[in-house]
Amino acid sequence: MSEDTKEFCKSCETCQASGKTGGTPKAPLIPLPVVRVHFERVGVDIVGPLDPPTASGNRFILVVVDHATRYPEAIPLRTTTAPEVAKALLGIFSRVGFPKEVVSDRGSNFMSAYLKAMWKECGVTYKFTTPYHPQTNGLVERFNKTLKGMIMGLPEKLRRRWDILLPCLLFAYREVPQKGVGISPFELLFGHPVRGPLTFFKEGWEQPLKAPKQDIVDYVLGLRSRMAEYMKKASKNLQASQELQKQWHDQKAVLVQYQPGQKVWVLEPVAPRALQDKWSGPHTIVEKKGEVTYLVDLGTARSPLRVLHVNRLKPYYDRADLTLLMATDEGQEEDSDPLPDLFSSTEQDALVEGVVLADCLTAEQKDHCINLLGQFSELFSTVPGTTSWCEHTIDTGDSLPVKSKISRQPDHVRDCIKQEVQKMFELGVVEHSESPWASPVVLVPKPHSKDGKKEMRFCVDYRGLNQVTKTDAHPIPRADELIDTLASAKYLSTFDLTAGYWQIKLSEDAKPKTAFSTIGGHYQFTVMPFGLKNAPATFQRLVM
């Protein structure tokens, strides 16, 4: 009933449409391939509008970042029309050469026929990011944030002249080593460190060294060698940085798979108003385009089909698919059979009380289990037995007896303690004692109760006794090693012992040390109780 209730609530369309955006797990990170050639792949984006505009009327910045060297270019623009963007790009590529691939978002200027014709004539392959998923062009997006922060860091009187100071900001960025590659963009592109303000100060403090005369051929050969070494080091550092970034990102990532025809919700691309749903749908999955992208039928006349990233999707739960058990007029459910039809009535009678066989077993396997349970039915008992294989001892050395006074307890607690002691006395677990040792009794609420009532667990606080008990050094198995051992197993069997500790006898010297006092008298255990210091070691020695 609990699972049916969860499924019923989860299928509420109103809750699904207005649910929080972070309720679905993110897909694992897919790092972009490492580029080793300068300006072979570049990322392009537009920053702005930046208000108020500068004195020249510039409100936008065209940003181009090389994927291999992280070398940025930025051109101030008045508008972002396709001809003006194309003109600025030609100015950049005329200095560094045309790339093989250009990555940009799906802005109207980048997707215009004007720019597509230019890319085709120049032999450039253009790739667009997944709609409303800027992480695909994350290298440029991260630089945009840095560039806007540098502009905001200018004095207020110079902030309106950012287009004039833009070359200075780019110079400062290019001479700083990048965290991912470990080398500055300037040095990766040109093969030697840039001569900046810090170099000026250093030359003023130190005696400048006269550069030895070098033949032009030797210089070119040395430059090529340095460039190859720099790119090799940068690629290695970048790959290690990507692996570390993926490791941190994928800690809570889950790759959700959708099938064609499946109904999904789509996250709205813009921030919704206060009372507007965050998710639209349900929409239908048409095709899986990539590892984390899907072609979705949005059902709109403007854009019926759109490729979306899996992080913008979440499954749709249809309430019509749920099968509910309806109550009859007599108050009974339609499917009111208390026992699944796993076996015949004869087999049900032969079963040991409280044992139910799984549905995955064959008829032959069920018969075999029933015969086995009937043959050893005395072993399946709720009354603990005792073993003669070992006994528990308590070595306290020359320590004096530890005695605690009885604390005041409410009447309902007294009745509960009296009942628990009476049960243990009838089972032979405890006996009357005249021991000088005495540990306090505590009642702990049980975490779960079968009938819903609040039940208490009878416990004895043996912390005083444990402090003077010598440690048993028998090794306790490690949980991770046990899991590794069971990893290759085909079948796993578990056995739950009935009060396993109480099936181990105490030595005659140990019994007086387990004594405890109640209002009704002074008692001591005859079997190993819970809470003793070396009880796990003794139990482990038995099962081994």
Side-chain angles (χ1 to χ4, degrees), residues 26-30 245-254:
K26 300 300 181 183
L29 185 66
I30 303 178
Q245 185 180 14
K246 178 175 175 59
Q247 179 182 355
W248 280 101
H249 179 275
D250 291 355
Q251 286 185 346
K252 297 183 179 180
V254 177

Side-chain angles (χ1 to χ4, degrees), residues 3 170 206 287 332 366 420 473:
E3 293 299 325
L170 292 175
E206 299 178 354
E287 181 186 356
Q332 299 294 329
K366 292 177 182 178
E420 292 296 327

Side-chain angles (χ1 to χ4, degrees), residues 105-315:
D105 57 21
R106 294 176 178 264
S108 58
N109 42 22
F110 295 123
M111 298 187 68
S112 63
Y114 193 96
L115 246 66
K116 289 182 179 180
M118 186 185 77
W119 298 138
K120 183 177 180 180
E121 292 296 330
C122 300
V124 177
T125 302
Y126 53 92
K127 297 183 178 181
F128 301 115
T129 62
T130 307
Y132 305 104
H133 188 72
Q135 292 89 333
T136 308
N137 204 14
L139 179 63
V140 180
E141 297 291 346
R142 186 61 184 88
F143 173 73
N144 293 347
K145 180 180 179 181
T146 303
L147 181 60
K148 288 187 286 187
M150 296 173 71
I151 294 176
M152 291 296 297
L154 293 173
E156 188 174 357
K157 61 180 180 179
L158 298 178
R159 203 172 296 168
R160 291 285 300 274
R161 303 170 57 191
W162 59 261
D163 53 348
I164 301 176
L165 299 175
L166 191 58
C168 300
L169 300 179
L170 292 175
F171 184 93
Y173 182 88
R174 292 165 180 164
E175 72 168 343
V176 177
Q178 299 298 298
K179 183 178 180 180
V181 297
I183 304 174
S184 66
F186 190 98
E187 194 169 359
L188 272 177
L189 183 62
F190 296 103
H192 61 83
V194 61
R195 188 170 181 267
L198 295 179
T199 308
F200 306 156
F201 295 138
K202 183 179 179 181
E203 291 177 353
W205 295 335
E206 299 178 354
Q207 184 68 23
L209 299 177
K210 294 183 179 181
K213 294 182 179 181
Q214 188 176 17
D215 185 74
I216 185 63
V217 177
D218 296 337
Y219 172 77
V220 173
L221 294 178
L223 178 62
R224 289 182 177 179
S225 177
R226 290 196 302 273
M227 295 288 288
E229 182 180 353
Y230 288 161
M231 289 307 302
K232 182 178 179 180
K233 180 179 178 182
S235 301
K236 182 179 179 181
N237 294 341
L238 181 59
Q239 187 173 1
S241 178
Q242 287 183 345
E243 292 176 356
L244 180 61
Q245 185 180 14
K246 178 175 175 59
Q247 179 182 355
W248 280 101
H249 179 275
D250 291 355
Q251 286 185 346
K252 297 183 179 180
V254 177
L255 182 58
V256 182
Q257 300 285 350
Y258 297 102
Q259 303 299 328
Q262 184 176 353
K263 299 289 186 179
V264 293
W265 293 97
V266 175
L267 181 64
E268 289 296 324
V270 294
R273 297 185 295 273
L275 300 179
Q276 181 182 351
D277 292 335
K278 302 179 180 64
W279 300 83
S280 66
H283 304 297
T284 307
I285 297 291
V286 177
E287 181 186 356
K288 183 176 182 180
K289 303 294 290 185
E291 188 173 353
V292 291
T293 54
Y294 291 86
L295 182 63
V296 183
D297 184 5
L298 299 181
T300 58
R302 183 178 179 181
S303 56
L305 300 178
R306 176 169 291 184
V307 178
L308 298 176
H309 195 274
V310 70
N311 287 348
R312 295 191 59 230
L313 306 176
K314 72 174 182 179

Side-chain angles (χ1 to χ4, degrees), residues 403-407 409 417 421 435 437-441 458 460 514-524:
K403 182 180 180 181
S404 299
K405 295 182 179 180
I406 302 176
S407 59
Q409 297 168 339
I417 294 177
V421 172
S435 171
W437 297 75
S439 297
V441 173
F458 181 89
V460 180
T514 64
F516 59 91
S517 296
T518 66
I519 299 298
H522 194 50
Y523 303 91
Q524 66 185 25

